[in-house]
Amino acid sequence: MTKNLKVLVSSKDFPPAALKVLQEHFTVLQTHYMNYGEEGKTLTKEDLLKLIPGCSALVWISNLPITKELLDKAGPQLKVVATVSAGYNHCNVDELKARGIKLSNTPNVLSSAVAEIAVGLLLGAARRFNENLAQVASGEWEIGFDKVLGQDIRGSTVGIVGLGGIGQAVVKRLAGFEVSKFIYSGHREKPEGKALGAEFVTQDELLTQSDFIVLAVPLTNETKHMINKDNLAKMKNNAIIVNVGRGDLVDQDALYDALKNKQIYAAGLDVTTPEPLPKDHKLLTLPNLFVLPHIGSATVRTRTEMGVLAANNVINALTGKALITPVQL
């Protein structure tokens, strides 16, 4: 019997279909609050600290960090943390490893949705959506054959930093745009790259050759601020950066300077540091920056599939089976 095992769901907005999967097997506890923003840092935090003692699994829906205090309150019977995200930089990996707690994430099921947003950001930055939307809002259109001209994807070189599930999905979606060349960088050459017609290159080669650079890697000590002043200086002056990974892949101060000084052409971000980005942040003063509020996986189908995958990881962990999508600690 597993009904005597307790599972804690960290936010009130867990998909109902996924919640039902958990409830069929376990006693499910769920906070009545959102685990985001100030509510997550205050009301939700206190509620989770009250609910977690005795729980065998934690389903984490949030970009807030999992604290040592919360893990201490859980007790030694906590066996698994299932984060409802592909990234896991917020999961206190070292602490989970030290305690022997398993960690799962939800990669792959969100690749298509995130890739669609990457393509949208690429188009928005290349075709100067910010400036053109401002014209519509003001009612003052710049009329002329040479006004507010953007850049073509057709004939360009697109560089993918991290040819994982999201990176591969981006290449597939851009294939119909008559891209001249796809290149990618990473730890090693991948057979999927050859199948997609993408060439494996060094990071420096990617930075210097690409017209469009798509960041689709997780945030680690190695990748933090991989886009910095030095690497921005290597890029073409027509280069466009798209980030659908994590905000801290980019040194935002360096990016601001590069965009303001027209050292590169534009950028499109679905992720920033912090989130939400304050409305008076200096990045938002730039006309050549197109920003979305971290909506990469925000479709009904994708968020439901993420929740169900997290639920099934918990089931496997608490019934002696292998995790479906384990994070290697």
Side-chain angles (χ1 to χ4, degrees), residues 53-132:
C55 287
S56 297
L58 172 62
V59 178
W60 195 253
I61 311 108
S62 183
N63 56 2
L64 295 173
I66 296 175
T67 63
K68 184 176 182 294
E69 180 185 15
L70 185 65
L71 297 174
D72 286 342
K73 280 283 188 180
Q77 79 297 315
L78 185 66
K79 303 300 182 188
V80 63
V81 171
T83 182
V84 192
S85 61
Y88 49 87
N89 55 289
H90 57 293
C91 290
N92 207 342
V93 170
D94 291 341
E95 193 66 34
L96 294 181
K97 183 177 181 180
R99 296 168 186 252
I101 298 170
K102 295 178 180 179
L103 175 64
S104 69
N105 63 341
T106 60
N108 303 323
V109 293
L110 49 68
S111 295
S112 293
V114 176
E116 290 168 4
I117 287 296
V119 173
L121 286 166
L122 192 147
L123 287 166
R127 299 302 297 272
R128 300 169 66 171
F129 277 16
N130 269 355
E131 294 162 274
N132 285 300

Side-chain angles (χ1 to χ4, degrees), residues 62-63 83-90 110 114 166 215-220 223-226 243-252 269-273 275 294 306:
S62 183
N63 56 2
T83 182
V84 192
S85 61
Y88 49 87
N89 55 289
H90 57 293
L110 49 68
V114 176
I166 294 169
L215 307 179
V217 290
L219 177 62
T220 65
T223 61
K224 184 175 181 178
H225 286 187
M226 65 188 309
N243 187 9
V244 290
R246 285 291 183 268
D248 269 341
L249 298 176
V250 177
D251 179 340
Q252 291 180 171
L269 309 178
D270 186 42
V271 286
T272 60
T273 302
E275 292 179 357
H294 202 156
M306 291 168 69

Side-chain angles (χ1 to χ4, degrees), residues 50 66 83 113 151 159 289 292:
K50 293 175 184 176
I66 296 175
T83 182
Q151 290 194 180
L289 179 68
L292 294 174

Side-chain angles (χ1 to χ4, degrees), residues 160-182:
I160 309 291
V161 182
L163 197 71
I166 294 169
Q168 292 169 37
V170 170
V171 173
K172 291 174 183 176
R173 280 152 182 76
L174 288 177
F177 283 79
E178 301 176 56
V179 170
S180 177
K181 187 178 183 182
F182 288 105

Side-chain angles (χ1 to χ4, degrees), residues 210-269:
S210 298
D211 301 298
F212 298 94
I213 297 168
V214 180
L215 307 179
V217 290
L219 177 62
T220 65
N221 291 334
E222 180 185 0
T223 61
K224 184 175 181 178
H225 286 187
M226 65 188 309
I227 301 301
N228 51 38
K229 181 178 180 180
D230 291 340
N231 282 338
L232 284 160
K234 298 173 184 177
M235 298 177 190
K236 297 179 178 182
N237 60 12
N238 70 307
I240 294 173
I241 299 169
V242 169
N243 187 9
V244 290
R246 285 291 183 268
D248 269 341
L249 298 176
V250 177
D251 179 340
Q252 291 180 171
D253 288 332
L255 178 65
Y256 173 82
D257 290 339
L259 291 170
K260 185 176 182 181
N261 298 328
K262 295 184 168 52
Q263 182 182 339
I264 63 171
Y265 187 80
L269 309 178

Side-chain angles (χ1 to χ4, degrees), residues 25 32 39-40 70 95 104 118 125 167 179 208 240 300 315:
H25 294 83
H32 296 293
E39 184 173 322
L70 185 65
E95 193 66 34
S104 69
V179 170
T208 58
I240 294 173
V300 173
I315 292 169

